Amino acid sequence: MSIKNILSKPLSSFISLALLTLGIGIISLLLQLNSLIKDQMDNNLRGIDMVVGAKGSPLQLILSSVYHVDSPTGNISYKEAEKISNNRMVGSSIKLLYGDNHKGYRIVGTEKKFIDLYKSVFEEGKEWEKPFEVIVGSKVHKNLNIKIGDKLVSSHGLRETGESHEDQSFEVVGLLKPSNSVIDQLIITSPESVWDIHDTHNHNDTNDNFENENKHDHEHEDEHEHEHDEYDDKEITAMLIKFSSPMNIIQFPRQINETTNLQAAVPSYEISRLFKLFGFGIDTISYLAYLIIIVSGFSLFINLFNAMNERKYEMALIRTIGATRFQLSSMIILESLILTLLGFGLGLLFSRFGVMFVSSLMEESINYNLSSIKILSEELWLLVLSVILGVLSSLIPAIQVYKMNISKILADA
Amino acid sequence: MIKTNNLNFNYDNKVFFNFKNINLKNGEDLLIIGNSGIGKTTLLHLLAGLLKTDSGSINIYGQELKNFSNHQLDQFRRENIGIVFQRAHFINSLTVKENLQLAQYIGKKNNNDRIENILKNLNIFDKSDKKTNQLSQGEKQRVSIAMAIVNSPKLILADEPTSSLDDFNCKNVINLLKKQASDYGAQLIVITHDSRLKEHFKKQLKL
């Protein structure tokens, strides 16, 4: 009955429904995106208590070395980084080295621990053994259709347009399974590969290639004995650190910032700062969305109120058949509830499509994947809100029907 | 048995009505005839329990209406009374059949055979899936008779059922009403100013 009434007035029902869908949709979309981005950020923060890099913006340091979206702040010397990683407050550390990309995907020189940090698993192949062997993240090899044994040419810098190192290519030795973290969109290799490719680049000598190859082999054999001496003059971009005890997070970053010319940044702190920054924009949009919901409530009210005036003979008729006032009033409330619940459902659907759309956009621009979609507890609050809205907007019409003087209405007919 | 005694009713203390007593045995039909404005519709609403009397009593089948609460009046109406209005009212968003089903639902009954039977009897079975605003005036009148009898009331109240009809249709409708009432074992009270109906009723009351 209520459904038929809604269907018999498609236009006005549709307007209230559209408004409500829009309002609920926007709020739910914001909630979803917020939670997905937070999830994604937290996922990538796993196991990283602090990042050490060159002086500059701490947020930039975090974005570049944890999320791999911004340019690095600069390089730091290997020696100093090593000093920090030997500090007793450091549980474990991973050195990172940037410089190149392959078709826009960053090539990171790092340690093998990096793979374990993101709990990544090999789909095929194995870890690198020599320089210029690389392991490719899931999204990279899926998008570029890379297989084991392929040769990748890198270009200088972090953008696709950089000068390419035509003379030196990487050989793919491993493919990773998706881990839903940044490693999916990275190409990782040993730090030596990155150091060497830039040595080659600088010398620009015809014999260089050959020389370098020899050097690699030598390096590789003696890696363990000579590690410190050999790398002393080298530079790295950043170092990810996990503390030996969580308590160190208070003291250690400050100590580094004050006593060395390195910069230490705490990702969880910087990210919450970032969220506060764009939280303002999110708040504004959500107020707007709540306003739309309120307007939709009014529209619903006017819709029901008009319909009630038009249908008062019908109401009176139903009463003469013997329906109680209560039955009629609850019918009106039910009608409103059906509309609001429908609006809620459509709104959620709308937000899901929105999330899919946004995540496809984001995937292209910054290589992020926001794939998992679930119902959030905040959305249950939206459900409660729409039920309240449905009841409130139908309350006055329902009361009016309750007090209706059937005899008078029928006599006026 | 339907009995009224010294019924009074007023609208806002401006218009006062005093009605002659009705005394009707079970199985008897009654024509209440009178000119416009002397409270015929008011009397019908009083009998149907849609209005409450100021003074006097209405006793229908042994039940005193003025002792009933609103809720009890609804229930009483649901179980005992069917009303045919001068102008037919339906739920426009529903079909003929759905209107009748709704009436049954409110009357806490569920009997599709009876709906089918009534519609066939009134010769409008082929319209059962039409929306009510697609019907002709005559068809609407029949559907409103169907609405009145679908829940097997003991008493059918008809308010000016023929006033807008020509002689031919007037005769048709009143015969239909009487036939339906007797077919389904209900008493009929018709309230009208239409003197053409006089010849159809043995028992008459002039207001």
Side-chain angles (χ1 to χ4, degrees):
Chain A
M1 173 77 195
S2 297
I3 293 171
K4 297 254 178 179
N5 274 332
I6 292 168
L7 289 180
S8 73
K9 301 210 175 308
L11 188 67
S12 49
S13 303
F14 175 76
I15 290 171
S16 340
L17 191 62
L19 280 172
L20 193 66
T21 303
L22 195 64
I24 300 269
I26 290 175
I27 292 181
S28 148
L29 179 63
L30 287 176
L31 290 173
Q32 284 285 345
L33 284 182
N34 216 357
S35 111
L36 280 176
I37 292 172
K38 261 188 184 143
D39 271 5
Q40 185 86 19
M41 294 243 164
D42 290 347
N43 212 12
N44 290 325
L45 274 183
R46 236 179 5 213
I48 305 171
D49 292 334
M50 185 179 85
V51 181
V52 175
K55 289 271 189 218
S57 147
L59 186 56
Q60 187 189 357
L61 178 62
I62 301 295
L63 287 177
S64 69
S65 54
V66 180
Y67 299 107
H68 306 270
V69 286
D70 205 351
S71 341
T73 42
N75 284 348
I76 58 177
S77 91
Y78 184 90
K79 218 160 105 186
E80 288 197 62
E82 195 60 22
K83 232 189 277 172
I84 288 172
S85 72
N86 287 334
N87 191 300
R88 64 182 167 79
M89 289 197 240
V90 173
S92 63
S93 69
I94 299 175
K95 299 177 186 66
L96 296 179
L97 196 57
Y98 289 111
D100 294 295
N101 75 81
H102 171 70
K103 296 191 174 157
Y105 293 100
R106 293 181 181 204
I107 298 172
V108 183
T110 184
E111 300 164 61
K112 289 170 184 169
K113 287 187 280 188
F114 190 71
I115 303 172
D116 305 326
L117 175 69
Y118 294 107
K119 299 190 170 61
S120 208
V121 188
F122 279 94
E123 183 174 298
E124 222 183 304
K126 52 178 176 39
E127 296 179 353
W128 63 77
E129 270 153 20
K130 299 193 294 258
F132 295 98
E133 288 184 338
V134 293
I135 297 170
V136 179
S138 67
K139 203 176 292 169
V140 185
H141 68 72
K142 209 159 65 190
N143 289 358
L144 300 180
N145 200 16
I146 292 170
K147 292 182 189 62
I148 299 272
D150 284 357
K151 302 272 185 204
L152 307 181
V153 177
S154 73
S155 355
H156 192 60
L158 298 175
R159 282 183 193 82
E160 232 174 311
T161 47
E163 195 185 336
S164 61
H165 301 284
E166 300 283 359
D167 43 356
Q168 191 56 268
S169 65
F170 292 97
E171 189 188 349
V172 178
V173 294
L175 303 176
L176 293 176
K177 278 187 183 164
S179 67
N180 210 16
S181 64
V182 279
I183 201 168
D184 291 351
Q185 56 235 13
L186 295 176
I187 298 169
I188 53 179
T189 183
S190 61
E192 292 84 4
S193 316
V194 183
W195 282 322
D196 289 350
I197 202 164
H198 289 102
D199 286 345
T200 313
H201 195 66
N202 294 341
H203 295 207
N204 209 7
D205 198 307
T206 37
N207 287 333
D208 217 49
N209 246 342
F210 183 62
E211 250 178 49
N212 257 314
E213 290 294 337
N214 284 342
K215 200 170 139 211
H216 295 319
D217 291 340
H218 174 69
E219 257 179 18
H220 188 68
E221 284 157 20
D222 300 333
E223 205 168 22
H224 299 289
E225 297 101 275
H226 300 295
E227 202 170 34
H228 294 283
D229 316 321
E230 284 244 5
Y231 295 166
D232 270 358
D233 58 331
K234 302 283 187 191
E235 291 190 320
I236 63 167
T237 315
M239 185 161 67
L240 309 177
I241 285 171
K242 181 160 182 58
F243 294 128
S244 50
S245 142
M247 290 303 289
N248 298 335
I249 200 161
I250 302 161
Q251 194 191 354
F252 197 44
R254 208 177 56 205
Q255 191 182 323
I256 291 176
N257 285 332
E258 282 170 3
T259 60
T260 67
N261 60 351
L262 303 180
Q263 174 182 223
V266 178
S268 51
Y269 173 72
E270 294 304 325
I271 291 311
S272 67
R273 212 164 58 97
L274 179 68
F275 266 92
K276 257 183 225 148
L277 282 178
F278 67 79
F280 174 72
I282 287 180
D283 284 349
T284 314
I285 301 174
S286 16
Y287 290 140
L288 203 67
Y290 280 114
L291 197 71
I292 294 175
I293 290 183
I294 292 170
V295 171
S296 81
F298 275 113
S299 149
L300 200 62
F301 165 71
I302 292 166
N303 183 8
L304 285 170
F305 194 81
N306 281 341
M308 202 202 59
N309 277 333
E310 281 169 36
R311 295 203 318 244
K312 62 183 178 190
Y313 297 120
E314 297 184 1
M315 302 288 170
L317 174 78
I318 295 174
R319 285 293 309 279
T320 61
I321 300 170
T324 60
R325 296 152 186 265
F326 182 74
Q327 278 176 309
L328 271 195
S329 302
S330 31
M331 191 185 77
I332 299 231
I333 294 176
L334 182 68
E335 192 175 325
S336 162
L337 275 182
I338 290 175
L339 269 179
T340 43
L341 288 180
L342 203 62
F344 174 76
L346 285 176
L348 284 203
L349 210 63
F350 170 84
S351 81
R352 296 306 185 270
F353 280 116
V355 169
M356 277 200 253
F357 179 69
V358 171
S359 82
S360 74
L361 277 186
M362 284 180 116
E363 213 167 324
E364 273 170 27
S365 59
I366 60 167
N367 293 331
Y368 261 94
N369 184 12
L370 309 166
S371 48
S372 63
I373 289 177
K374 52 188 183 286
I375 293 212
L376 302 167
S377 59
E378 288 95 331
E379 285 178 327
L380 293 178
W381 279 111
L382 276 184
L383 177 64
V384 174
L385 183 80
S386 30
V387 168
I388 292 173
L389 187 81
V391 172
L392 270 187
S393 56
S394 59
L395 210 57
I396 293 177
I399 289 172
Q400 218 147 2
V401 164
Y402 193 86
K403 288 164 124 185
M404 186 169 68
N405 183 341
I406 333 160
S407 169
K408 191 157 188 293
I409 290 167
L410 289 173
D412 289 346
Chain B
M1 201 172 65
I2 298 158
K3 249 177 139 168
T4 69
N5 186 23
N6 197 24
L7 275 183
N8 281 299
F9 190 82
N10 77 84
Y11 286 105
D12 305 326
N13 279 323
K14 284 176 195 148
V15 189
F16 293 87
F17 294 119
N18 181 291
F19 298 107
K20 285 185 183 169
N21 293 345
I22 297 171
N23 200 335
L24 203 60
K25 294 192 197 91
N26 284 353
E28 278 183 325
D29 292 344
L30 175 69
L31 180 74
I32 299 174
I33 198 158
N35 294 322
S36 301
I38 62 165
K40 295 192 303 291
T41 299
T42 306
L43 178 59
L44 183 119
H45 288 177
L46 285 170
L47 289 172
L50 295 171
L51 288 175
K52 282 185 153 186
T53 59
D54 298 337
S55 66
S57 70
I58 303 173
N59 191 310
I60 298 179
Y61 308 126
Q63 290 169 301
E64 185 54 52
L65 291 197
K66 71 175 175 189
N67 297 336
F68 283 162
S69 70
N70 283 330
H71 189 81
Q72 284 171 316
L73 278 177
D74 288 335
Q75 192 185 348
F76 166 78
R77 200 158 53 239
R78 192 158 65 220
E79 286 166 0
N80 296 298
I81 296 194
I83 307 177
V84 179
F85 294 100
Q86 179 177 4
R87 268 188 50 209
H89 298 301
F90 307 104
I91 314 299
N92 286 324
S93 55
L94 301 181
T95 65
V96 170
K97 195 173 168 187
E98 286 166 339
N99 264 286
L100 292 169
Q101 282 169 338
L102 174 73
Q104 281 195 338
Y105 171 77
I106 292 168
K108 299 189 163 73
K109 295 187 171 77
N110 185 9
N111 187 348
N112 272 323
D113 290 345
R114 182 170 167 86
I115 291 178
E116 204 172 299
N117 185 283
I118 290 171
L119 289 176
K120 277 181 178 157
N121 210 343
L122 287 166
N123 230 346
I124 45 170
F125 183 64
D126 54 330
K127 311 286 185 211
S128 49
D129 291 325
K130 282 243 161 71
K131 288 271 168 73
T132 51
N133 49 16
Q134 296 170 314
L135 301 176
S136 75
Q137 208 55 48
E139 287 162 350
K140 279 185 183 172
Q141 194 92 40
R142 285 159 194 251
V143 176
S144 72
I145 293 172
M147 289 286 273
I149 58 180
V150 69
N151 284 336
S152 334
K154 292 183 193 140
L155 174 63
I156 296 172
L157 299 171
D159 185 9
E160 303 277 14
T162 57
S163 56
S164 57
L165 303 177
D166 57 39
D167 288 353
F168 177 74
N169 280 306
C170 169
K171 209 168 178 177
N172 259 347
V173 165
I174 199 66
N175 283 333
L176 210 55
L177 261 177
K178 283 173 75 180
K179 181 171 182 296
Q180 295 303 318
S182 69
D183 281 3
Y184 294 103
Q187 259 178 300
L188 179 66
I189 295 181
V190 175
I191 292 184
T192 191
H193 68 265
D194 190 348
S195 51
R196 292 175 296 181
L197 296 182
K198 278 182 179 169
E199 55 183 289
H200 297 276
F201 289 86
K202 271 188 236 152
K203 187 149 185 166
Q204 299 181 0
L205 179 73
K206 186 152 170 48
L207 288 184

